[in-house]
Amino acid sequence: MPKKNFLKRIFSAGIAMVMACSMMAVPAFAAVDQIDIDVRVMDQSTGRIIEDVAMLTAYAEPGSGYVQSEDFQVPSLSTLTDVDFGRVEKVMGNYYFPVGQVSEGSMIEWSTNNRNGTLTYYVTSWNPDATSGSGSNGSDSNVENIGSGSRYNWSFKLTYHSNYPDGTDYTQSFNYKASSFTQGVQVPVKSLDDLGFSVPKGYQQAAGPDNAPWNRNKDGSGEWVKTTWYAHQSDGADLHLYAQWSPENSRPAPDTVTLTHKDGAETYAERDYFVGDTATTVMCSNNHAPSTFAGWDTDVSADEVIYPAGDSFVINEDKTVYAVWEEATEPADTIDLNYDANGGSGAPANETSDTPVGSDAEFTVSDTIPTHPDDLPFLGWADSPDAEEPDYQPGDPITTTSDKTIYAVWGEKEDEGGPDADGKISEPGMDKKAEGQDSIPSVAPGDTINFTLDSHIGSDLADAVSYQDGTYSGSYTLTFHDTLTGPATLDTGSISVKIGSTTLNAGEYSVDTAPSDGHTFDLTIDVVALLNSGRFQLSDAGLPDKAAVQVAYTATVDESAEDQDQVRNDAYVNDSATDSVNGGVVDMPEPPDTGSRMALAFTACGVALMGGVAVVYITKTRKKAD
């Protein structure tokens, strides 16, 4: 093959491999360290360990620098098995922290140095579910007689018990004659197979001496009975035999050993393990400032780290380790970004970088907005407390080689018809809001935006009207002028008006949805007419609550709206200042395909296959008078 064609094939194969990798879902590249946890049970009533009850998994983020896993909650044993286990007394294992025994529901951590862990539940009893066992049920009609000329008749019933929760029993009836009351009669005993008794789930048959399958007592503490049983009249007329079972995966419990952690002469932590288990050292949180904890030593002098915190090893005997402390080194002076509310309150928390002084530390300006006691509008942040224009906005990057403080910049308060000397609103003002906020939250095509225009019937109403013969005369109207721009449409039927807590009827105000002044709508309220109809009282004029006027309505974002389109709403009442709200549109992304809309983007790291991704564009604005 010519060398040129060979190189082409190698290059094509490489490109195909890179493209295949780029189309894999992102989580495929986000592997985490996995710790397998074997669940077993210690049956304290029999001293047996039941193994392989369940297998659990814990995870730890790779490269995080921590020796412990993510938080792991010890599950309830009832969620891991349907076996009747009595009561869980405690839970132990070779987990990393906390120290000692825990209980169901406890939060623990696993060592990342160990890929296998164990959780042992100590229970009062272990009775595996026997739903797979079965047995016959019936009564033999045959009567067996022995001897001739016997003087005593003995009729009795013999019941075979399967001896597991839902197993059935089998009953036989016998009638014997005996020459004496104490004479034993030979009763033929059936086997488990004869009766159709199957082995319960998780168990094996527990036979007695000479493989005797039956015991006179339910708990196996009585006489063992095999194929022939000599019964006596003194045994009574109601005899019982019980099958016996033992867990099929049981073994005698191993001995326990203790790992003791000491800080000098003080015992810091102790943890018990079974012989052969994997033990894990813990972190010592005692305070020996300025020294810091380094690890554990097996020597009481504790000057060398043998086991770092979280280290694991097989423990076969009691073991004691001692804390090693090292003198702390002076940390490098790092760079801080400080926020000063500059007369306001609620400034973002100061930020700290790990970058040492003299190097470039990169910060992003917080999006937390402070407030001013005089309700001054927040304009941004500046390098000087006297700045009139901001140098930074929330989300802007800042690079500095030393500690830096930025100061809030405040604008002038808008004239919104504030209260007069009597505490009343002197004249109408305007406060425009969208979804109760001073800017429109990011919206998508088809979304509905709730707008409110808040104003007041001012105390100047008294100067505009007169009263004679039970009628008010004069002129006092409120006309709301609202202009909606951008890809959104007014929902005409949604308009409503309230004065104080009273909602006006449609006939008590007028709406022009095609005014000649180019606004989206003009809404006019004749306050004098409301006075004469009794809907409003002159004495309420200017009161912040009773004279409050609110116009509310909704607008719907057009389906044709695209990313980064702007929706804006401007409003004023009579001759007040204009109040505005605006915000960005987020177009819902279409599902990416592998067709013509895909593009290859080449970066310094290689080739990545990129689909269409929607970009959320949100404009942070402040309210501003026209």
Side-chain angles (χ1 to χ4, degrees):
M1 177 187 299
K3 181 176 181 181
K4 181 175 182 182
N5 291 340
F6 176 74
L7 292 176
K8 282 185 177 180
R9 292 193 179 187
I10 291 298
F11 178 74
S12 299
I15 289 296
M17 182 175 295
V18 171
M19 292 178 65
C21 292
S22 67
M23 289 187 286
M24 295 177 65
V26 172
F29 298 99
V32 296
D33 289 348
Q34 176 175 314
I35 304 167
D36 297 325
I37 304 151
D38 183 34
V39 176
R40 57 190 186 179
V41 171
M42 169 64 175
D43 183 357
Q44 298 182 104
S45 65
T46 62
R48 297 187 179 97
I49 291 291
I50 292 82
E51 298 179 327
D52 302 325
V53 174
M55 181 65 71
L56 305 174
T57 304
Y59 297 96
E61 290 291 346
S64 65
Y66 295 109
V67 298
Q68 71 271 24
S69 71
E70 297 174 354
D71 287 345
F72 179 93
Q73 185 171 29
V74 176
S76 170
L77 183 57
S78 62
T79 64
L80 305 178
T81 178
D82 56 1
V83 172
D84 178 12
F85 51 77
R87 182 178 66 255
V88 175
E89 298 287 353
K90 62 180 178 178
V91 183
M92 295 181 60
N94 60 340
Y95 40 80
Y96 170 72
F97 199 77
V99 176
Q101 67 189 44
V102 295
S103 57
E104 295 173 300
S106 295
M107 300 301 295
I108 62 177
E109 299 167 347
W110 299 88
S111 169
T112 57
N113 295 333
N114 186 16
R115 290 292 175 263
N116 298 99
T118 61
L119 273 182
T120 302
Y121 292 74
Y122 286 71
V123 301
T124 55
S125 62
W126 181 260
N127 301 307
D129 182 11
T131 55
S132 64
S134 62
S136 304
N137 187 22
S139 177
D140 283 356
S141 59
N142 61 302
V143 175
E144 300 184 32
N145 300 305
I146 62 170
S148 58
S150 298
R151 299 170 53 192
Y152 296 96
N153 289 321
W154 179 27
S155 296
F156 63 91
K157 181 176 67 176
L158 172 61
T159 301
Y160 299 88
H161 298 276
S162 55
N163 202 14
Y164 46 81
D166 62 350
T168 55
D169 302 329
Y170 187 90
T171 302
Q172 281 184 293
S173 297
F174 292 90
N175 186 8
Y176 282 95
K177 291 182 179 180
S179 58
S180 68
F181 183 77
T182 60
Q183 178 185 358
V185 296
Q186 182 176 334
V187 179
V189 177
K190 293 182 179 292
S191 68
L192 296 177
D193 290 338
D194 293 337
L195 300 175
F197 287 174
S198 64
V199 179
K201 178 182 177 182
Y203 274 85
Q204 60 188 1
Q205 181 185 349
D210 200 19
N211 289 324
W214 305 100
N215 196 281
R216 294 285 303 276
N217 293 341
K218 181 179 178 65
D219 62 1
S221 61
E223 174 189 356
W224 286 92
V225 175
K226 199 178 178 184
T227 55
T228 300
W229 178 27
Y230 282 91
H232 300 81
Q233 283 185 282
S234 58
D235 291 326
D238 193 11
L239 307 182
H240 300 269
L241 295 177
Y242 298 87
Q244 300 296 310
W245 316 99
S246 63
E248 61 183 356
N249 59 351
S250 298
R251 62 176 174 80
D255 294 332
T256 59
V257 292
T258 302
L259 174 61
T260 302
H261 300 73
K262 284 196 171 188
D263 182 11
E266 173 192 356
T267 297
Y268 175 75
E270 286 186 334
R271 181 175 293 176
D272 294 330
Y273 297 92
F274 292 117
V275 171
D277 269 354
T278 299
T280 303
T281 56
V282 303
M283 172 68 72
C284 183
S285 60
N286 284 348
N287 185 7
H288 288 263
S291 298
T292 57
F293 174 72
W296 302 96
D297 190 355
T298 55
D299 194 324
V300 69
S301 64
D303 57 3
E304 181 181 359
V305 174
I306 304 299
Y307 299 110
D311 200 12
S312 299
F313 57 90
V314 176
I315 186 169
N316 292 308
E317 59 186 1
D318 292 339
K319 193 178 191 69
T320 301
V321 293
Y322 301 87
V324 179
W325 298 93
E326 295 180 348
E327 292 186 6
T329 57
E330 191 69 24
D333 190 13
T334 56
I335 301 173
D336 296 339
L337 175 63
N338 305 312
Y339 295 87
D340 189 324
N342 200 14
S345 62
N350 297 335
E351 301 176 22
T352 299
S353 169
D354 293 333
T355 305
V357 172
S359 300
D360 287 339
E362 297 181 354
F363 297 93
T364 299
V365 177
S366 172
D367 57 4
T368 298
I369 304 300
T371 59
H372 197 280
D374 295 330
D375 293 330
L376 300 183
F378 173 74
L379 305 183
W381 301 94
D383 294 322
S384 169
D386 301 324
E388 296 180 355
E389 295 293 335
D391 299 313
Y392 315 101
Q393 291 295 333
D396 284 353
I398 291 181
T399 301
T400 179
T401 58
S402 61
D403 291 347
K404 185 179 183 67
T405 300
I406 55 177
Y407 302 86
V409 180
W410 303 102
E412 295 182 358
K413 186 175 182 179
E414 299 174 10
D415 182 9
E416 296 184 354
D420 56 20
D422 295 329
K424 291 186 175 183
I425 303 298
S426 58
E427 58 186 31
M430 172 56 61
D431 185 10
K432 176 74 179 183
K433 292 191 182 296
E435 301 295 345
Q437 304 178 36
D438 291 333
S439 62
I440 302 175
S442 60
V443 291
D447 281 357
T448 297
I449 309 172
N450 293 286
F451 291 105
T452 55
L453 312 179
D454 287 297
S455 185
H456 275 81
I457 298 175
S459 59
D460 58 348
L461 173 63
D463 300 328
V465 299
S466 60
Y467 184 77
Q468 186 176 2
D469 298 329
T471 302
Y472 289 98
S473 60
S475 175
Y476 191 101
T477 58
L478 294 179
T479 300
F480 292 80
H481 307 272
D482 191 279
T483 304
L484 181 66
T485 56
T489 304
L490 168 69
D491 300 324
T492 306
S494 66
I495 297 176
S496 64
V497 180
K498 290 177 63 177
I499 296 181
S501 59
T502 301
T503 300
L504 299 186
N505 299 322
E508 295 178 301
Y509 58 89
S510 63
V511 180
D512 184 357
T513 56
S516 59
D517 54 17
H519 301 148
T520 302
F521 70 86
D522 289 342
L523 184 148
T524 301
I525 304 171
D526 186 347
V527 179
V528 178
L530 295 179
L531 286 172
N532 287 319
S533 66
R535 294 283 274 177
F536 185 74
Q537 304 298 318
L538 182 61
S539 59
D540 292 337
L543 293 179
D545 51 354
K546 294 183 179 180
V549 181
Q550 183 181 82
V551 176
Y553 65 91
T554 62
T556 301
V557 181
D558 298 343
E559 293 293 344
S560 61
E562 298 181 352
D563 285 345
Q564 303 185 25
D565 281 351
Q566 290 290 299
V567 175
R568 180 183 176 92
N569 196 291
D570 302 280
Y572 65 95
V573 60
N574 294 354
D575 57 354
S576 75
T578 300
D579 198 5
S580 305
V581 291
N582 68 334
V585 174
V586 179
D587 192 12
M588 302 306 290
E590 295 182 1
D593 58 37
T594 56
S596 61
R597 287 185 293 174
M598 288 191 174
L600 285 176
F602 295 85
T603 69
C605 297
V607 183
L609 190 63
M610 302 176 63
V613 179
V615 177
V616 176
Y617 179 84
I618 301 175
T619 301
K620 293 189 177 292
T621 63
R622 67 183 182 90
K623 296 171 58 176
K624 175 180 177 183
D626 282 358

